[in-house]
Amino acid sequence: MFDLLVKGGTLPDGTVADVGITGDRIAAVGKLEAEAGRVIDAGGDLVTPPFVDPHFHMDATLSYGLPRVNGSGTLLEGIALWGELRDMATVDEMVDRAVSYCDWAVSMGLLAIRSHVDTTPDHLRTVEAMLEVKARVAPYLDLQLVAFPQDGLYRSKTGRQNVLRALDLGVDVVGGIPHFERTMEEGAESLRDLARIAAERGLMWDVHCDETDDPHSRHVETMAREVTRHGLGGRAAGSHLTSMHSMDNYYVSKLLPLIAESGMTAIPNPLINITLQGRHDTYPKRRGLTRVREMQALGIPVGWGQDCVLDPWYSLGTADMLDVAFMGLHVAQMTHPAEMARCFTMVTDVNAQIMGLSDYGLRPGCRASLVVLDAGNPIEALRLRPDRLVVVSRGKVVAERHRNDARLALAGRPDSVRRRLQPKA
């Protein structure tokens, strides 16, 4: 007997199967004839592992308009606004906003998030707040925290010290932002320094790297070298990498094999990258997204990140990773069926790999976390960004929604409509 049985769902690979759950683990997957404490009928619906976001800023989330709106829409004005807000916001305010966002995330089937936490201010209220959030949501959501020196590791006297303080307090991942240091040389040295810290502490390393339109911002080259030097491999992730959209093809033909050789991963953030980048362009206007397909062709793991929701940098967002994948699909022009399906894995399996979630998936023994979507397959899920009918976290149903077909009043037409396509016979 199972505690929970999800019947007849279509898995992302097209297999139709039942998922039996006992406690907080998946006990069996297949054609299951057994009793259960609760049975969920997922016949015809997509059953997937939960969505995963490997790049977010939870200390700033849901703060849009504080202390005022980003009038220029630029990255630099957003950073300046956040610099004011982080010294005004109390721990309780940041906790309340972040926990509310986690409620949104759970409702959307997003059950694992990596959040960068600004370690610039000496008071470290940001760190205190996000550690409290991590403890509160731990029963149902995996939250990894990154020690992120937003203003640069070396720009202030205590920048490096505060990163180490945050790690000592329990922050999980080493961060960095080399292109925001005072000089290219200091940016490169910050990467060498941070790589040593990650290696010595046995931690993961996630760097805001080359988030700029400047084609001469080439810190990812140094990062890849340090990843190889210290054997960090998949423990290291380069986030954004937007300067690559402005680099010449000859240089990139050298750069990409170095990244692939290192084993590091990449996290573009399409909603934010295409909004913030290219602001100095008239026309032609650059797309603002790194070279996703080219990296994937060399075997580099690339996942989509959300980055921001309702904060100084981005005025929209709903915690829906399918929105992120949908936008990424368009901007990267990944329109072949195999590429569209890959976009779905980029917000599930690949992102779980980037975060190191070892017990993730729909296999016996994995953590019993899954989502039932009102869609028939991953590509349809991207097209519709559908309702999450059921969200299960660690064996417990944590969110539910009734199927919401539209009602029609049209002579000679059906009285309801669903935008799903019927499978071919």
Side-chain angles (χ1 to χ4, degrees):
M1 180 172 175
F2 300 113
D3 295 324
L4 186 64
L5 182 59
V6 181
K7 292 285 292 182
T10 301
L11 308 188
D13 65 1
T15 303
V16 176
D18 309 325
V19 180
I21 293 170
T22 301
D24 66 350
R25 296 285 151 176
I26 294 176
V29 178
K31 182 63 176 175
L32 306 177
E33 299 295 341
E35 295 183 358
R38 178 175 176 185
V39 176
I40 295 172
D41 180 9
D45 295 322
L46 179 62
V47 176
T48 177
F51 296 106
V52 178
D53 182 2
H55 190 102
F56 196 67
H57 291 265
M58 200 170 286
D59 48 5
T61 197
L62 307 190
S63 64
Y64 179 68
L66 298 175
R68 58 193 171 277
V69 169
N70 183 340
S72 69
T74 60
L75 173 64
L76 292 179
E77 184 176 352
I79 291 173
L81 288 172
W82 168 243
E84 296 179 43
L85 180 58
R86 71 189 174 200
D87 287 329
M88 295 166 45
T90 67
V91 169
D92 287 345
E93 288 169 347
M94 286 186 282
V95 169
D96 287 346
R97 287 197 294 263
V99 172
S100 293
Y101 179 79
C102 290
D103 293 343
W104 293 17
V106 168
S107 76
M108 303 306 292
L110 170 56
L111 299 182
I113 300 171
R114 174 182 288 176
S115 178
H116 295 256
V117 183
D118 190 354
T119 60
T120 300
D122 292 342
H123 56 67
L124 289 188
R125 287 196 296 270
T126 47
V127 174
E128 180 184 350
M130 293 307 105
L131 286 171
E132 171 64 23
V133 173
K134 180 178 178 178
R136 287 197 195 183
V137 303
Y140 52 87
L141 188 148
D142 286 310
L143 179 57
Q144 286 183 358
L145 300 178
V146 183
F148 176 50
Q150 171 75 77
D151 290 357
L153 192 69
Y154 299 143
R155 272 183 175 248
S156 68
K157 293 181 180 180
T158 55
R160 186 179 189 277
Q161 173 188 332
N162 287 348
V163 167
L164 297 177
R165 286 174 59 203
L167 295 173
D168 289 342
L169 288 169
V171 172
D172 310 282
V173 182
V174 179
I177 185 168
H179 57 278
F180 214 61
E181 302 292 346
R182 288 188 178 88
T183 65
M184 288 287 194
E185 290 80 7
E186 285 193 341
E189 179 53 37
S190 77
L191 288 171
R192 289 187 282 268
D193 195 355
L194 292 164
R196 285 192 295 269
I197 292 169
E200 290 169 359
R201 292 181 176 238
L203 298 177
M204 302 181 97
W205 188 30
D206 190 332
V207 177
H208 283 60
C209 199
D210 302 323
E211 188 185 3
T212 171
D213 294 330
D214 179 5
H216 301 294
S217 184
R218 298 177 172 183
H219 291 295
V220 66
E221 181 181 73
T222 302
M223 182 178 180
R225 180 67 188 97
E226 294 305 303
V227 171
T228 299
R229 185 194 307 277
H230 292 282
L232 295 174
R235 285 163 50 193
S239 293
H240 294 291
L241 305 177
T242 58
S243 68
M244 209 182 298
H245 72 188
S246 300
M247 293 175 181
D248 67 84
N249 289 333
Y250 183 83
Y251 174 70
V252 172
S253 72
K254 170 200 171 186
L255 176 62
L256 292 184
L258 292 177
I259 296 173
E261 176 189 36
S262 75
M264 64 182 281
T265 64
I267 310 170
N269 301 281
L271 294 172
I272 311 306
N273 294 158
I274 66 173
T275 300
L276 296 178
Q277 306 310 131
R279 288 279 179 166
H280 295 282
D281 295 349
T282 53
Y283 290 95
K285 185 178 282 285
R286 285 167 284 186
R287 301 178 76 84
L289 191 70
T290 193
R291 303 193 186 204
V292 175
R293 297 166 72 187
E294 291 83 355
M295 285 193 285
Q296 291 175 332
L298 289 180
I300 300 166
V302 183
W304 298 124
Q306 169 80 67
D307 200 2
C308 303
V309 168
L310 289 170
D311 66 11
W313 297 276
Y314 190 60
S315 54
L316 301 170
T318 62
D320 187 353
M321 291 305 293
L322 287 177
D323 279 349
V324 178
F326 181 77
M327 185 61 73
L329 180 161
H330 282 79
V331 182
Q333 298 179 328
M334 297 175 67
T335 54
H336 185 278
E339 293 176 325
M340 290 191 287
R342 192 187 313 147
C343 283
F344 186 89
T345 68
M346 289 169 69
V347 292
T348 52
D349 297 324
V350 178
N351 280 349
Q353 173 189 344
I354 290 171
M355 285 186 61
L357 305 179
S358 58
D359 56 357
Y360 175 92
L362 295 179
R363 302 177 305 278
C366 289
R367 179 176 283 174
S369 297
L370 57 82
V371 186
V372 181
L373 294 102
D374 191 3
N377 57 61
I379 295 175
E380 188 170 63
L382 286 166
R383 179 174 67 84
L384 297 175
R385 280 93 69 218
D387 287 341
R388 281 60 165 170
L389 301 176
V390 180
V391 179
V392 177
S393 176
R394 307 180 191 192
K396 300 183 185 302
V397 175
V398 292
E400 293 184 81
R401 183 175 294 167
H402 294 295
R403 202 181 304 275
N404 191 24
D405 295 347
R407 293 178 294 278
L408 295 182
L410 301 173
R413 300 304 300 155
D415 57 9
S416 66
V417 64
R418 188 182 304 177
R419 294 172 298 148
R420 289 174 58 173
L421 297 177
Q422 294 302 313
K424 296 178 181 178

